[in-house]
Amino acid sequence: MTVLDVIQRSTDYLSKKGVDSPRLQIELLLAHQLKLRRLQLYLNFDRVLTAGDLEALRAFVTRRGERVPLQHLVGSVSFCGMELGVGPEVLIPRPETEMLAERAVKWLGERKDAGATGLRALDYGTGSGCLALWIASKCDSVEVHALDISAAALERAKDNARRNSLDSRVTFHEGDGLSSWDPGLTLDLLISNPPYIPTEEISSLEPEVRDFDPRQALDGGPDGLTFYRRLASEASEFVRPGGLLLLELGDGQGDSVRALLSTEKWVVEAILPDYSARPRVLVAHRH
Ligand SMILES: C[S@@+](CC[C@H](N)C(=O)[O-])C[C@H]1O[C@@H](n2cnc3c(N)ncnc32)[C@H](O)[C@@H]1O
């Protein structure tokens, strides 16, 4: 069987299984297996696959048809160009979260340029470590901390730190929110992509998300706002006056989260849209 045969047959198969963008999926799996760039496949359509490659691809395609996420099959994802390992213990970082990461780096850079020293940042609910690691890689004078309630997620985040030679740059903490945060570690920046899916909506999500992202990474409580409510009060104790709170928002949550943070402790500065023009990032300052 040639590369093109595999693409055609697998595209049909994945399409029948309800997989989104089936041709792209098989191309990415093929490229991974053959250690080629995806576009190089187009120059290799007539290449005949070895029995070993075919067997591996059959297993990949079957599992993808069972709606196992592509990123779990290939074992990694690119976040802001950084390669991160992923598995069922962490949320697969999403492209829209890169906005949050870039905004944080921009603000920290401006603070540094304005002469600020000893800046400290916390990634609340770090999962794969994507936000903390990107900040650590870009802002070498900032002390970076990462927190998660899940020990398994933290193991993965630490592994990603080693993989990107950032293990000496991030301190990892296991904890339920900021309930046991050291009051001595006041923060200039708190960044979070918290769980924000309303509990009842989880069962209607795509199988790749519903069955393979950790429930703890998705479940935002009955109205999806539990963590924003928690952060509005918890974070105000630890973020320094003038410090920044950067939060990713779920669909349609902008007004509610703005209202939750419009207290005497916080000033909501902006709600920024994502690439699909949906309100996605809330920027607030501590009074
Ligand atoms: C939506 S995921 C975000 C992961 C990663 N920051 C990202 O953007 O891809 C939310 C994370 O919050 C963590 N989490 C859930 N409840 C928590 C809690 N009470 N305290 C700390 N972390 C929590 C989950 O384990 C999960 O890793």
Side-chain angles (χ1 to χ4, degrees), residues 264-286:
E264 72 276 16
K265 302 279 176 61
W266 299 103
V267 190
V268 177
E269 181 187 306
I271 295 183
L272 309 171
D274 63 17
Y275 313 113
S276 337
R278 281 188 264 215
R280 184 61 69 191
V281 173
L282 180 133
V283 185
H285 279 99
R286 178 80 171 83

Side-chain angles (χ1 to χ4, degrees), residues 6 26 29-30 33 49 53-62:
V6 170
I26 180 59
L29 287 170
L30 257 166
Q33 177 62 28
L49 295 173
D53 283 337
L54 263 183
E55 195 183 328
L57 276 161
R58 224 171 256 131
F60 277 149
V61 171
T62 305

Side-chain angles (χ1 to χ4, degrees), residues 17 26 63 89 101 109 124 137 159 176-177 208 214 243 279 282 287:
K17 294 286 182 183
I26 180 59
R63 299 211 66 213
E89 65 286 344
Y124 179 117
S137 75
D159 195 54
D176 179 357
E208 285 87 345
L282 180 133
H287 263 306

Side-chain angles (χ1 to χ4, degrees), residues 6 9-11 13-14 17-19 25-26 29 54-70 73 208 212:
V6 170
R9 289 189 194 189
S10 307
T11 300
Y13 177 78
L14 292 178
K17 294 286 182 183
V19 173
Q25 301 288 305
I26 180 59
L29 287 170
L54 263 183
E55 195 183 328
L57 276 161
R58 224 171 256 131
F60 277 149
V61 171
T62 305
R63 299 211 66 213
R64 191 66 194 91
E66 292 163 359
R67 308 299 294 271
V68 177
L70 176 88
L73 298 176
E208 285 87 345
F212 295 96

Side-chain angles (χ1 to χ4, degrees), residues 91 93 97 125-127 130 148-150 175-177 193-195 216-217 227 230:
L91 186 98
T97 304
T126 195
C130 55
D148 210 288
I149 197 169
S150 156
D176 179 357
N193 173 18
Q216 223 168 18
F227 281 88
R230 242 184 109 159

